Amino acid sequence: MPTFKELGLRAEIVQALDELGFENPTPIQEKAIPQVLDSKKDLIALAQTGTGKTAAFSLPVLQQLDENSREIQSIVLCPTRELCLQIANDMQSFAKFMNLKTVAVYGGASIEGQIRDIKRGAQVIIGTPGRTVDLINRRVLRLQDVQFVVLDEADEMLTMGFKDDLDLILGETPETKQTLLFSATMPTGIKDITKRYMKDPAEVSSGARNEGAQNIEHHYYLVNARDKYECLKRLADVNPNVYGIVFCRTRRETQEIADKLMADGYNADSLHGDLSQAQRD
Ligand code: AMP
């Protein structure tokens, strides 16, 4: 297995990865990092959350940015505010020993602070499509010097109806840019985007297409609806150190289960779209 240094990454980045405790590259990093460092070709990467995809696109992009220029040289687009903040935080830690600034722009938060941060100068913007379009229309975001565009969770962005926003944003970036598209699945909509916006792209994947993550064991239990909550508690009780996420179909169900768990003495909380942005953060 190669080291990060052997993949071609600079000492400042390798040192930051050391501090984060990243010892070896993950399979998608091993494939994507040298590809993006050595080639100007567009890239399609099939990778799910948990495969290390954020570092796979961030590291080779950060390495190629000009620290002496405060122009926007790279834009990362992703579907949600939460992911946007996570990518911004990750990139900031990868660039800890470099002189690079990142700004996250996403809806549901004041636009003024984001405008101020952009005006101070940043090499990297991480944005959700809606807010990014807003800032382009206000002539705050200028993308004519962008060299790298990353579309993260591209399939999710399409599902959430961001196609027109993506069209507009990509239209603002220069022809000469390199586009990196990361997606867990390859539905027809994504194939259309790759055909429209990417030239002869290279392809890498972290495993078989449309498959669950390899390092996760899946279990399921068949129970009656009325027994589901008791079953959930039983699972928590036999795994006292469990740290988990319960996904529910509706906001109300999410709240009810969290409330019941808290009333029953479990350390739980809810996360859903009826909560304010401050509560969700
Ligand atoms: P991602 O797929 O980008 O959401 O990353 C999943 C998790 O793996 C994150 O918590 C990363 O910090 C972590 N991670 C990514 N790459 C590595 C690596 N090479 N070694 C150890 N942890 C990693």
Side-chain angles (χ1 to χ4, degrees):
M1 193 187 285
T3 60
F4 283 109
K5 184 163 178 256
E6 283 162 356
L7 294 183
L9 292 171
R10 268 160 46 189
E12 297 98 296
I13 294 182
V14 174
Q15 191 187 345
L17 295 175
D18 261 355
E19 288 197 3
L20 290 169
F22 289 18
E23 289 176 3
N24 295 107
T26 66
I28 194 74
Q29 291 164 2
E30 195 178 324
K31 291 176 198 162
I33 293 170
Q35 171 67 35
V36 179
L37 285 179
D38 298 342
S39 159
K40 284 263 141 235
K41 254 190 177 193
D42 290 341
L43 178 75
I44 298 174
L46 274 167
Q48 296 169 331
T49 297
T51 54
K53 67 187 169 72
T54 314
F57 61 73
S58 300
L59 301 175
V61 167
L62 291 170
Q63 165 139 330
Q64 296 181 75
L65 300 181
D66 180 358
E67 295 172 72
N68 298 316
S69 155
R70 279 291 176 98
E71 299 299 327
I72 298 168
Q73 299 162 41
S74 172
I75 179 158
V76 180
L77 295 168
C78 62
T80 63
R81 310 173 255 228
E82 284 76 14
L83 185 58
C84 184
L85 283 165
Q86 193 184 319
I87 296 170
N89 280 334
D90 284 356
M91 290 185 104
Q92 207 74 70
S93 11
F94 299 148
K96 183 175 170 192
F97 301 107
M98 301 172 83
N99 186 19
L100 291 174
K101 288 232 41 104
T102 63
V103 176
V105 301
Y106 48 90
S110 139
I111 199 165
E112 279 78 28
Q114 296 174 359
I115 292 176
R116 251 196 323 275
D117 289 343
I118 294 168
K119 287 193 167 156
R120 274 197 208 115
Q123 291 93 344
V124 188
I125 299 292
I126 301 107
T128 51
R131 181 55 64 94
T132 302
V133 166
D134 195 349
L135 288 162
I136 289 173
N137 289 338
R138 290 174 189 235
R139 308 205 177 282
V140 177
L141 262 189
R142 297 177 184 281
L143 302 180
Q144 73 268 20
D145 293 318
V146 160
Q147 298 161 31
F148 300 96
V149 174
V150 180
L151 303 172
D152 190 23
E153 302 204 349
D155 46 354
E156 285 296 320
M157 288 200 279
L158 284 192
T159 309
M160 291 170 73
F162 287 133
K163 172 132 197 328
D164 292 346
D165 288 345
L166 291 181
D167 281 342
L168 189 146
I169 299 165
L170 290 169
E172 292 287 312
T173 58
E175 280 283 308
T176 48
K177 68 182 178 283
Q178 187 171 8
T179 304
L180 315 177
L181 179 141
F182 281 69
S183 190
T185 58
M186 274 295 146
T188 329
I190 296 288
K191 291 210 189 90
D192 291 345
I193 288 203
T194 61
K195 279 202 200 98
R196 204 136 135 223
Y197 290 108
M198 302 174 85
K199 289 163 260 164
D200 184 28
E203 245 188 81
V204 297
S205 98
S206 62
R209 286 175 188 220
N210 299 343
E211 206 183 56
Q214 296 269 322
N215 50 354
I216 296 175
E217 215 178 283
H218 297 87
H219 295 252
Y220 70 94
Y221 302 90
L222 275 173
V223 293
N224 289 316
R226 63 172 182 278
D227 299 326
K228 275 199 296 189
Y229 179 68
E230 287 304 317
C231 178
L232 173 64
K233 283 203 299 183
R234 191 76 59 87
L235 283 170
D237 291 341
V238 297
N239 299 286
N241 295 320
V242 72
Y243 181 69
I245 304 180
V246 179
F247 290 97
C248 309
R249 194 172 59 85
T250 63
R251 298 169 194 193
R252 195 210 270 168
E253 205 183 358
T254 308
Q255 190 64 52
E256 281 170 3
I257 294 176
D259 286 346
K260 273 205 247 174
L261 283 171
M262 287 187 271
D264 286 342
Y266 294 87
N267 192 2
D269 215 332
S270 59
L271 177 63
H272 55 74
D274 280 343
L275 300 175
S276 70
Q277 187 56 39
Q279 289 172 306
R280 294 169 65 169
D281 287 343

